Amino acid sequence: PNTNIKSFRGSEEISLIDVINLQKKMDSDIMILGEVNSFELANAYVAISQAGTKATFCTCHCVTTRDLIEYFRNAVLSTGTLKNEKDAEKQAANSINLDIHWVKTNKGHRYISHITEVIPLEEEETWPEDFNSCLLEALKRIATRRTYTTREIVVYEDGKYVFKNPLSERAVNKICANLSDQDKELFL
């Protein structure tokens, strides 16, 4: 009820970036980008998700959560916002909290097949003391380049929704920061 939601569209006269900048100035709580179907829009989504709003939403037609993160990573790289693949992936992973994946059956029925949380990984700051262990750790870090992990929260199996895993502490804290004390008690 006390949420500041504004809706705008880009046009030939006003670019999408101008609309996003206008929404930032209007202190919107929630930003909905709509369908992300180009690298320009995916890059814009990453930018607005970091603009201090409580939530940012979009739709995107990717097959898996990994494909989704890679698409947004590639968008950030292709637009020149960042040059480093790992940094671009980190920004993409930080911008997408949940992948709520819809599937359409052959009969036209749509349903949510799964809800997957994207959890950015913290970089390991400490290094081993001895040379051999340090070298081994460096090779391990190079080989495992992922900057995020995923967690299945809910999955549709055998005609029903099955709860698989709880939300991460990060997600719970983010949600609780936007709830009243009464709503926090109900949520937790």
Side-chain angles (χ1 to χ4, degrees):
N2 298 321
T3 305
N4 183 13
I5 301 173
K6 301 275 189 271
S7 176
F8 297 95
R9 282 183 14 187
S11 66
E12 289 180 20
E13 296 84 22
I14 301 172
S15 74
L16 176 65
I17 300 304
D18 291 337
V19 170
I20 290 169
N21 287 332
L22 179 61
Q23 282 195 308
K24 287 181 193 176
K25 291 175 184 171
M26 298 183 90
D27 197 26
S28 299
D29 291 326
I30 296 172
M31 291 184 144
I32 301 171
L33 188 55
E35 183 177 354
V36 171
N37 57 10
S38 69
F39 277 177
E40 179 189 21
L41 289 172
N43 190 54
Y45 179 86
V46 171
I48 64 175
S49 70
Q50 298 171 356
T53 59
K54 291 182 179 183
T56 307
F57 298 95
C58 74
T59 62
C60 188
H61 297 274
C62 292
V63 177
T64 66
T65 303
R66 184 175 181 168
D67 292 342
L68 181 67
I69 298 296
E70 288 177 359
Y71 182 80
F72 280 77
R73 177 203 65 203
N74 293 342
V76 171
L77 290 170
S78 74
T79 56
T81 303
L82 292 172
K83 305 282 186 227
N84 180 289
E85 185 176 323
K86 188 174 181 180
D87 290 342
E89 183 178 271
K90 187 185 289 186
Q91 277 207 347
N94 275 308
S95 299
I96 300 169
N97 298 308
L98 293 172
D99 173 18
I100 303 172
H101 196 85
W102 290 79
V103 172
K104 185 177 178 182
T105 66
N106 294 342
K107 295 180 180 179
H109 175 72
R110 291 184 188 266
Y111 66 96
I112 296 172
S113 65
H114 61 270
I115 300 173
T116 304
E117 182 181 2
V118 176
I119 306 166
L121 297 174
E122 298 296 321
E123 285 192 38
E124 187 66 41
E125 296 295 326
T126 59
W127 286 84
E129 295 284 327
D130 69 281
F131 177 77
N132 288 337
S133 297
C134 191
L135 181 61
L136 184 63
E137 180 65 21
L139 292 172
K140 181 178 151 189
R141 291 183 191 187
I142 290 169
T144 55
R145 299 180 66 107
R146 289 279 164 233
T147 60
Y148 68 95
T149 188
T150 60
R151 178 185 293 181
E152 295 292 335
I153 306 301
V154 176
V155 177
Y156 188 75
E157 292 178 347
D158 300 320
K160 61 183 176 185
Y161 289 101
V162 179
F163 176 76
K164 294 289 188 173
N165 294 293
L167 291 168
S168 68
E169 183 179 342
R170 174 183 179 263
V172 169
N173 289 340
K174 212 170 188 181
I175 292 168
C176 285
N178 293 294
L179 297 176
S180 68
D181 289 338
Q182 183 181 7
D183 288 340
K184 278 183 203 173
E185 285 182 34
L186 293 171
F187 177 70
L188 298 173

